[in-house]
Amino acid sequence: MPISERLSRLGSGVFARNDQRKAAYSARAAGRGPDGAPLPPLLDLSLGSTDLQPPPVALAAIAAGLGRPESASYCLHAATLPFREAVAAWARRRFDVAVDPETEVLLLVGSQEGTAHLPLAVLNPGDPALLLDPYYPSHMGGLHLASAEPVLLPLDPEAGWRPDFDRLSPSQWQALKLMVLGFPHNPTATTGEQAWLDGAVERALRHDVVLAHDNPYVDLALDGEAPALLRHPDWRRCGIEFFSFSKSWCLGGYRLAFAIGAEDLITALRQLKGVVDFNQSLALQAGAIAALERAPHWPEQLRGVYRERRDRMAAALEAQGWPVRLPSMALYLWLQIPEVAQARGLDSERFCAALLEGSGVCLTPGNGFGPGGEGWQRLALVHPAADLEAGAARIGDWLHRF
């Protein structure tokens, strides 16, 4: 059967590869290890899928909406107006910016849907587009879907992962059609600075580049203030920003997100969506509206939980001999491969596989986030602190044996 070259460029995806390894380990753990002893259960720290619960008011609104006949119908763009109006009101409260719900807001099926589809809406085949390296996988996936040409901007850990836009030549800037940023940054768990984003806006305006800012972690900065495209007075002239309910309101499985951006960009993405999918049920939209309007402070309590988890897990890993750079953003630790594994010549993928096989703890290999992620692992703080510390002990025991 014919398979497109585009699909081969997409590859299998780091989360899909990890999923296969986790399934294989869980199947073995249901039996016995090689020595007849039981294997420890899987401790999955590979996905940023929180164990924390959504606001009860959001769940109640969804439950109430499910009983309404219109919630079972296809939802076209016009029916999303109440949601878009709630988003515009949130933007006014959150960033003190006036947003037109008719022309500058778009409901999304998760922010990944928006970042993956935007290149199809704004790029032609072969157009160059800038990505940070490391990058989130859907950012590269969107470029491959559009047959665009990725231009990687390496982030230096010794510079605090700050993007150095001067690394690109003037001719490269003139050729660029799109740049995709995201601060707070996944996977490095760096909050970033507004000045970094302001510098990107200046470059976008000077060279007529579309600036897409992926901002699902805007409410989860543990240190510093999260940057936002909407804080720049010229955001309408060049950009679009993606927000999500997955992190701030713990609604990841409900696939609720939105974009706010320049009218031309929102219109282009809306046109693409119009031939690709419908919108989420009105019941789910009711839950999102309730989260914005009646649980605006929900992220504040999450930050306290994640701060404790970050600090306790970092201390636990340090005690096991695995140095940790304390991150400024919630949800993840971004860890260099331990020296003992480096000495064995293990890359990120093989280290992740060996760690899972030997301890039952699953992390995400950094190479899944681009060449700049090689030599690193991402650990998600998605279990209670005591479970994380127990996982650190399992990791330490394996490292000592290793």
Side-chain angles (χ1 to χ4, degrees), residues 232-304:
H232 195 285
D234 290 324
W235 64 269
R236 282 186 176 88
R237 296 177 55 198
C238 64
I240 185 170
E241 192 156 31
F242 298 94
F243 299 95
S244 174
F245 290 83
S246 298
K247 313 305 180 184
S248 298
W249 287 278
C250 309
L251 287 162
Y254 294 85
R255 311 313 300 138
L256 288 159
F258 56 91
I260 299 176
E263 180 176 352
D264 287 350
L265 298 178
I266 292 293
T267 299
L269 189 54
R270 173 186 166 186
Q271 181 180 344
L272 178 70
K273 283 176 57 65
V275 297
V276 171
D277 63 18
F278 291 98
N279 294 291
Q280 293 93 328
S281 164
L282 290 173
L284 296 183
Q285 293 180 50
I289 293 170
L292 290 174
E293 295 180 345
R294 300 168 60 192
H297 304 300
W298 198 254
E300 292 181 11
Q301 65 187 38
L302 305 182
R303 289 197 293 269

Side-chain angles (χ1 to χ4, degrees), residues 20-238:
Q20 293 176 344
R21 284 192 285 261
K22 288 184 290 187
Y25 179 85
S26 294
R28 291 194 302 273
R32 296 267 173 177
D35 58 357
L39 293 174
L42 173 70
L43 180 62
D44 189 0
L45 306 180
S46 66
L47 292 177
S49 182
T50 184
D51 60 315
L52 303 177
Q53 292 302 297
V57 292
L59 298 180
I62 292 172
L66 290 174
R68 301 190 183 104
E70 60 269 24
S71 292
S73 300
Y74 287 124
C75 181
L76 296 173
H77 179 74
T80 69
L81 181 57
F83 171 85
R84 288 181 278 121
E85 290 174 335
V87 167
W90 170 84
R92 169 68 81 178
R93 296 191 303 270
R94 186 70 172 80
F95 301 110
D96 192 26
V97 61
V99 171
D100 185 345
E102 285 285 3
T103 61
E104 296 176 332
V105 181
L106 189 66
L107 173 64
L108 298 171
V109 187
S111 59
Q112 289 187 66
E113 182 251 318
T115 57
H117 281 159
L118 180 69
L120 285 170
V122 301
L123 297 178
N124 293 313
D127 280 347
L130 177 70
L131 293 185
L132 303 178
D133 182 25
Y135 51 76
Y136 190 71
S138 73
H139 299 170
M140 179 63 80
L143 298 189
H144 286 322
L145 288 173
S147 298
E149 185 64 35
V151 176
L152 298 184
L153 180 64
L155 301 179
D156 183 357
E158 300 310 314
W161 308 102
R162 176 182 60 83
D164 182 3
F165 297 122
D166 288 332
R167 295 186 66 149
L168 269 66
S169 68
S171 61
Q172 284 179 300
W173 276 111
Q174 280 303 117
L176 278 182
K177 303 300 181 184
L178 169 71
M179 59 173 152
V180 183
L181 307 183
F183 287 101
H185 186 247
N186 180 12
T188 66
T190 301
T191 296
E193 299 176 13
Q194 185 64 36
W196 302 355
L197 205 55
D198 293 345
V201 172
E202 188 272 331
R203 298 277 183 159
L205 293 173
R206 188 194 312 172
H207 299 287
D208 194 24
V209 179
V210 172
L211 171 55
H213 189 233
D214 194 12
N215 208 354
Y217 300 95
V218 65
D219 295 312
L220 295 184
L222 299 182
D223 300 304
E225 178 70 29
L229 178 61
L230 291 182
R231 288 200 174 97
H232 195 285
D234 290 324
W235 64 269
R236 282 186 176 88
R237 296 177 55 198
C238 64

